[in-house]
Amino acid sequence: MVIKKTIYSKAPTRIDLAGGTVDLWPLYLFLNKPVTLNLGIDLFAEARIEEKASAGTGEVLLRSEDQNLEMKVPWNALDAFINEDSIQAPPALELHFRLLRYFLQKRAELGNKELGFDLVLSTRARSPAGAGLGGSSALAVAIVGALASWVYGEIDPIRDGEKLVEIVKDIETTVIHVPAGVQDYYGAMFGGLQSLKWRAGSHQRGWLPEKIVKGLEERLLLFYSGKSRNSGINNWALFKAFIDNQGDVREKFQKITDATRRLETALLAGNWEAAGQGIAEEWAIRRTLANGITSPEIDRAFAAAAKIASVSGKICGAGGGGCFFILVPSADPAIKNRIRKAIEADGIRALPFQASLTGLEVRTRGA
């Protein structure tokens, strides 16, 4: 079939340097000056929409390339699902399906109800599944970018990003069935090294200077433990403990917030030793929040790195597996290489990356 229009979008994943979990509403409302620091990286999530001429009444094909899964539905059956939830999408395609349904409704509200064409929505994720790099959120942002462009025409992530983040957050929450934090969406939507300050009524988002990003690239090592994790489950347990005011959970989150602020101060001052101390303090508290935050494999990796040099690190995301990073304050390539080899010798994979200074990107070809 002749392709009438192609829309391609991509969004970065992120390394959360410090201050994760406090982005969950309403946790940050109970903390003093809560902040999250994250760095967009080039393990992109990608989405592509192809609108094609149809020989019949038209159909939609949803495809996850990395999951090797697809679902094909006639438009008339999909239209019924909008009102009745009568068709169940496979779990790996539920996010695709729900986001498509949302934007079909918006398209119809604009008076455009014609569906006499074929539509392919395909995605690909470059980060490992369950890596703790915000991959599912980056995928959702990429899909939303493509679908929003399909319905509304050209979009500007800087101008429209905050509104799109709200859409992504609400739709993904219905997929994961637990409250969703928002730092991952900001990382995917805007990229760069962001300081995200969570406040009542509004949030303050800002980029730290590019020279700091370059410094982090020279000092960070990223690894995948080989064990995936479920951030929704881990965050839900911590969420409940915080809301129920169990033990000293709230005090620990305030200490995490304080350590994150010290990390930001150190980064802005270019003090890499102090930055390492801030990360180490954050991780020392975070690992005590619940059983299973860390793992024996990750603990061995940190111990192996500490035998080589004075370094710091933490797990990415909610913990329980996935990725972790190590900061080498000296940026010495020889030391970094020794650490990399020592950790890889235990069967853990290093993930090469570069910082992504930009967030969501969308390109359109055709009418």
Side-chain angles (χ1 to χ4, degrees):
M1 294 297 177
V2 176
I3 298 177
K4 299 162 58 179
K5 178 188 289 188
T6 301
I7 302 172
Y8 170 77
S9 66
K10 67 176 183 179
T13 48
R14 59 95 187 102
I15 296 173
D16 58 319
L17 298 172
T21 316
V22 305
D23 58 317
L24 283 163
W25 181 93
L27 304 194
Y28 53 80
L29 298 176
F30 298 93
L31 299 171
N32 180 36
K33 298 180 179 178
V35 60
T36 301
L37 298 175
N38 69 29
L39 174 68
I41 61 173
D42 65 348
L43 299 180
F44 294 107
E46 302 169 331
R48 185 176 69 254
I49 290 176
E50 294 177 339
E51 185 179 317
K52 306 178 180 180
S54 175
T57 57
E59 62 186 14
V60 59
L61 173 66
L62 305 179
R63 177 188 295 132
S64 171
E65 295 180 2
D66 48 290
Q67 297 287 328
N68 194 27
L69 187 66
E70 64 181 38
M71 172 185 180
K72 185 180 292 185
V73 184
W75 280 120
N76 54 5
L78 189 68
D79 189 53
F81 177 78
I82 290 176
N83 299 313
E84 301 175 12
D85 274 11
S86 58
I87 298 174
Q88 296 300 313
L93 293 174
E94 185 178 358
L95 180 64
H96 303 57
F97 198 86
R98 291 187 179 276
L99 288 170
L100 176 60
R101 180 175 68 170
Y102 174 88
F103 281 98
L104 278 175
Q105 291 173 321
K106 296 303 175 184
R107 187 174 182 270
E109 289 171 7
L110 294 173
N112 194 351
K113 299 182 180 181
E114 186 271 324
L115 294 172
F117 53 86
D118 293 339
L119 188 80
V120 179
L121 170 58
S122 58
T123 60
R124 178 172 58 170
R126 297 188 179 274
S127 68
L133 300 176
S136 65
S137 298
L139 187 68
V141 168
I143 295 173
V144 162
L147 286 171
S149 296
W150 180 60
V151 172
Y152 300 117
E154 183 178 351
I155 63 167
D156 179 350
I158 301 301
R159 180 194 65 207
D160 306 321
E162 297 280 354
K163 181 178 180 180
L164 294 176
V165 162
E166 290 301 312
I167 296 170
V168 175
K169 179 188 70 174
D170 288 348
I171 299 300
E172 191 178 22
T173 297
T174 67
V175 175
I176 63 177
H177 299 290
V178 292
V182 294
Q183 69 138 323
D184 294 353
Y185 307 128
Y186 279 93
M189 187 65 69
F190 302 109
L193 175 57
Q194 293 188 80
S195 171
L196 303 166
K197 295 178 170 62
W198 315 109
R199 302 292 185 264
S202 65
H203 307 312
Q204 300 171 15
R205 182 187 64 80
W207 285 290
L208 273 64
E210 289 185 22
K211 66 178 182 180
I212 301 176
V213 175
K214 180 63 175 176
L216 281 170
E217 283 185 318
E218 295 171 347
R219 290 168 172 82
L220 285 179
L221 292 168
L222 180 65
F223 297 91
Y224 178 55
S225 69
K227 178 183 177 182
S228 64
R229 14 73 59 218
N230 187 322
S231 64
I233 292 174
N234 285 353
N235 276 337
W236 177 239
L238 296 177
F239 180 93
K240 282 179 58 62
F242 190 105
I243 294 299
D244 294 341
N245 203 14
Q246 296 177 9
D248 59 353
V249 169
R250 292 193 182 187
E251 289 78 7
K252 286 181 177 179
F253 271 112
Q254 184 59 57
K255 291 179 179 178
I256 284 173
T257 289
D258 296 340
T260 305
R261 292 211 311 269
R262 286 192 289 272
L263 170 59
E264 181 173 13
T265 298
L267 289 173
L268 289 169
N271 186 337
W272 294 105
E273 293 293 340
Q277 291 171 9
I279 291 170
E281 291 170 8
E282 207 268 21
W283 173 235
I285 302 160
R286 181 172 297 278
R287 62 180 292 135
T288 68
L289 285 172
N291 292 328
I293 294 288
T294 186
S295 71
E297 297 84 1
I298 292 173
D299 286 342
R300 286 198 302 271
F302 285 147
K307 290 180 180 178
I308 296 171
S310 176
V311 298
S312 59
K314 64 177 284 291
I315 280 180
C316 299
C323 287
F324 62 94
F325 71 85
I326 289 176
L327 178 78
V328 182
S330 69
D332 186 322
I335 291 177
K336 289 172 60 182
N337 192 47
R338 288 177 60 197
I339 290 173
R340 184 184 298 108
K341 288 182 176 180
I343 292 176
E344 288 180 328
D346 199 28
I348 290 176
R349 177 159 58 104
L351 293 180
F353 74 92
Q354 289 183 322
S356 178
L357 294 177
T358 58
L360 173 67
E361 296 181 15
V362 184
R363 302 195 308 268
T364 301
R365 183 174 70 246

